[in-house]
Amino acid sequence: MKKAFWRKDWFAGVLISLLFLFLAQNELIQGLERSAYDFGVKASQKDPGDQVVIIAIDDQSLDSLGRWPWPRDILANMVDKLSAAGAKVIGNTILMSEAQTAPESVDNLIQYVESSNLVNENQELQKLIDIAKIELNRDEKLAQSYKNAGNVVLGMQFELGEPLGNPDEELPQFLQKNSLVNIGGNAADGFPHPAISATPPISVLGEQAAALGHLSIFFDVDGGIRSEVLTADYYGTTFPSLALQIAAKSLNLNVDDIQVELGKSVSLGNLEIITSPLSHMYPFYYVNENGTTQFSSSSFFDVYEDKINPAFFKDKIVLIGATALGVGTTFVTPVSDAMQPVFILANSVASILKQNFFVVPDWAYLLENLVFLTIALFLILILPRLSAALAAIVSAVLFTILIGVSQYMLISQAIWLQLMLPACLLSGGYLLLITKRYLVTERGKLQADEASAESNRTLGLAYQQQGQLDMAFDKFRNCPMDDSMREPLYNLSLDFERKRQFNKAQSVLELLATFAADYRDVKEKIKRNKQLQDTFMFGAAGGSASNSTMMLDGDGVEKPMLGRYEVEKELGKGAMGVVYLGKDPKINRTVAIKTMALAQEFEGDELDEAKERFFREAETAGRLVHPNIVTIYDAGEEHDLAYIAMEFLKGHDLGRYTKADKLLPIANVFKLTVLAAEALSYAHEQNVVHRDIKPANIMYVSESSTIKLTDFGIARITDSSKTKTGMVLGTPSYMSPEQLAGHKVDGRSDLFSLGVMFYQLLTGELPFTGDSMASLMFKIANDPHPDILAVRPELANKAPEISAVLDKILHKVPEERYQSGEKFAADLRKCLKIIKNNAK
């Protein structure tokens, strides 16, 4: 009979193509496009030249010149130095939207003196007061420096968004004169990015700046920055970006020389910048192969103290901005997970002047659709005619070509072709069509063969030999229940008993009893299995239906044994198994026994690998001999139930002290964290990484006021296992950014987790929380933790240095964290000493 058209491969190819066309704007596809773009940007190498340099307000500058914000006469002094040195343009990313006034007490003192008769009687006093007023008016002083320099370009904050009405107030005149007037092109092709609010600098500074540009940042859906908003429209008035203004001033141009062609380009003199419909530019990011910036960066303090020859800045574009930790915000870019705004600005300015930027030409959209159509025709017309092997080869070649062309155009031609959709269509279509072919043909034939009783019986015996008892039982149940099935079912029940899965053994025996109740000792075995199920259970956490039970000795029941250990009682359950109280009868030693039902989490080759990994990790953990690490005595396996015998501790984990109403004294938290840090330092020296540091894995022994780290190696053992809901085992709230990203981790990841736990023990709150797993992972990877002094203000008096310690231990970049637990412990001891001194 002729097969219906809707069952044919070509029709499946049509449906798959339509499905992927519908998913074109899906976040997964767009995320792949962004990832491909980021990869190409990282791989692109160009020279930015030496025209753009950076003066960084770094940690050294803050340590030497004081906390931020500084008095503006410091900034005025810097502008004077750069102007005298002959800097071409001075760009400033520091927002100047608020006036910097003298302290109220000083103002009151001056007013009091002026209102008294002392001024009238003492002219020298009046002169001193006049001088003080001038000195205290730091905004005027900075404005004078701007005026004298004549080349300072200031930034102003715009909030991007679609306006719903009219602005609250008119922009000041000094800002309006920086608006663009040469705007051409068709509004249907594009328009400047709209903004809903503007925060200009204070007038005394804005009026003396050579130019003003907006500092608006456009974030992609994933929170990354890939484009520069060259123009922004504020209720009908268009303003250039700070980067565009700086580039213009370096070419001796002003806003009248900037020409905007809507949705196509922005021209700056003889320079033309190809833009998106929203007037965005995709800038180049100038980094070395190791990811470091190519721009010259000098410390503000070194320049301020003349440690750097001022002649270095002659004829340069000098950008001043913050790079110190805690001053300003870092952003995710294609080449960095934490780039400071001043470096983003430097890349944009250099991209404009060097004409290095990525473009999406008008013909790209047509070409992308043509490629998609070509791949769709391949799936519909060609792939169904190819053999499985040839289809795999051709599809792999086409996939490689798509990815290769996309990256070649991006890296060599600076053209962004978005070919991830056809690439996904190709790979997904191939898998779906090949799977359909298998299910309809080979699988259909296999199912027809298995329909026969003999085939089911043979397959059942084969599965039983391989240890896949559940599948064997399924096959046996499809067989006619006659005398030929008595022996296979009886032997299968024995296999289930050997694995202590007595409930399943009973199911097999009850099926056997339906047609052969008198066969051997079936009735007695059913009673025994029922008795075992009602007494004591071994097995996986959560009470799985496949749990095992007690050992039998003739007709009686005795205490269960695991290896040479007697099991006394259950102590608790975890994600992968149960912990029991046990005893080694040979030496009468009490132990804790952690069991892991590996056979219920892994199958086939994965089970063998899991067992090998289990004993390797147990051996590694057993070599750790430290007063604050639980001692491992033994490890073994019994019928696919792996176990570890370890030191039994009379205590409880630190989890009960993570609530705000049950916190330990501050000094105790510091002492216990010092012990944990030293224990981790020792383990890391032995090349052992814990991977799952959290309160539940640290036992608190109240009798000796000490702690013991547990579960070394368990996280690695369970790496490839999944819970019942499909979530990878682990505790994301305590994981480091690199661990969440799936990167290779070392001891510094454990220290990050310890820092999270330390923060929680001090405050009763986790430093990173989210409404969903994706939200939590994003915050851990990108957001700074809340200042602990704001969460628990009393620490400011007891241990003010704690903020700096937490900033370092919770740094997103492993290289910026404490590099060993010993160094972390040393700083905690210093804080502890201060706590004790403050308590006296």
Side-chain angles (χ1 to χ4, degrees), residues 352-624:
I352 294 172
L353 295 176
K354 301 289 289 186
Q355 292 284 273
N356 295 328
F357 42 80
F358 300 95
V359 300
V360 180
D362 294 335
W363 49 263
Y365 180 74
L366 179 62
L367 179 60
E368 291 161 3
N369 287 333
L370 182 61
V371 173
F372 181 88
L373 179 60
T374 302
I375 297 301
L377 291 175
F378 168 75
L379 295 177
I380 296 169
L381 302 177
I382 300 177
L383 186 62
R385 302 173 183 271
L386 302 178
S387 64
L390 185 57
I393 294 173
V394 174
S395 297
V397 170
L398 288 176
F399 184 84
T400 303
I401 291 173
L402 288 175
I403 300 300
V405 168
S406 172
Q407 291 300 305
Y408 171 79
M409 294 299 290
L410 196 61
I411 297 171
S412 299
Q413 307 299 318
I415 293 176
W416 186 10
L417 287 180
Q418 301 188 32
L419 299 181
M420 290 304 103
L421 178 61
C424 290
L425 171 63
L426 176 62
S427 56
Y430 166 78
L431 292 174
L432 291 172
L433 286 174
I434 293 300
T435 301
K436 172 186 175 295
R437 183 183 299 180
Y438 170 77
L439 292 176
V440 171
T441 56
E442 287 86 349
R443 187 63 176 171
K445 183 177 181 298
L446 183 61
Q447 289 177 343
D449 293 338
E450 290 178 349
S452 67
E454 186 59 29
S455 177
N456 279 320
R457 184 175 181 276
T458 302
L459 282 172
L461 292 172
Y463 286 137
Q464 185 178 358
Q465 270 191 333
Q466 297 169 11
Q468 300 181 57
L469 305 185
D470 290 328
M471 296 183 68
F473 192 26
D474 286 341
K475 294 302 174 186
F476 287 162
R477 280 187 293 197
N478 289 331
C479 297
M481 293 298 111
D482 53 26
D483 290 345
S484 66
M485 291 303 301
R486 293 186 302 175
E487 188 70 12
L489 287 173
Y490 187 89
N491 290 335
L492 182 61
S493 72
L494 293 178
D495 286 342
F496 275 125
E497 287 182 359
R498 292 188 188 100
K499 286 197 171 187
R500 299 191 187 88
Q501 296 177 355
F502 295 99
N503 55 338
K504 294 185 178 181
Q506 183 172 354
S507 296
V508 175
L509 291 168
E510 287 176 347
L511 176 62
L512 179 57
T514 60
F515 67 95
D518 297 327
Y519 184 71
R520 295 192 183 181
D521 55 350
V522 170
K523 293 180 180 179
E524 291 76 14
K525 279 186 171 292
I526 290 176
K527 292 179 181 179
R528 286 185 180 181
N529 278 287
K530 182 66 170 63
Q531 181 184 17
L532 288 167
Q533 290 181 76
D534 292 339
T535 54
F536 191 87
M537 302 293 288
F538 276 166
S544 169
S546 61
N547 287 348
S548 6
T549 185
M550 298 191 70
M551 301 290 292
L552 282 176
D553 181 19
D555 295 329
V557 179
E558 63 179 12
K559 282 186 177 180
M561 299 287 292
L562 273 176
R564 70 172 188 268
Y565 301 100
E566 291 180 356
V567 178
E568 302 285 349
K569 64 178 181 178
E570 179 180 311
L571 294 177
K573 294 180 179 180
M576 281 285 286
V578 183
V579 181
Y580 298 101
L581 177 67
K583 185 176 72 174
D584 187 342
K586 292 185 179 179
I587 57 177
N588 201 31
R589 177 165 61 188
T590 301
V591 296
I593 306 173
K594 180 181 285 289
T595 64
M596 300 182 71
L598 298 178
Q600 296 179 22
E601 298 291 336
F602 304 93
E603 294 181 356
D605 293 339
E606 290 183 353
L607 177 59
D608 295 334
E609 292 175 6
K611 289 180 181 178
E612 180 181 353
R613 189 163 59 248
F614 174 88
F615 289 109
R616 184 170 62 249
E617 293 297 326
E619 178 186 0
T620 301
R623 293 201 305 266
L624 299 178

Side-chain angles (χ1 to χ4, degrees), residues 62-74:
L62 296 183
D63 292 340
S64 303
L65 297 176
R67 295 178 61 184
W68 186 261
W70 293 329
R72 285 180 179 163
D73 50 356
I74 293 179

Side-chain angles (χ1 to χ4, degrees), residues 113-123 125-126 129:
V113 174
E114 287 184 326
S115 64
S116 69
N117 293 328
L118 295 174
V119 175
N120 297 331
E121 298 172 359
N122 191 332
Q123 295 299 317
L125 180 58
Q126 180 64 59
I129 289 177

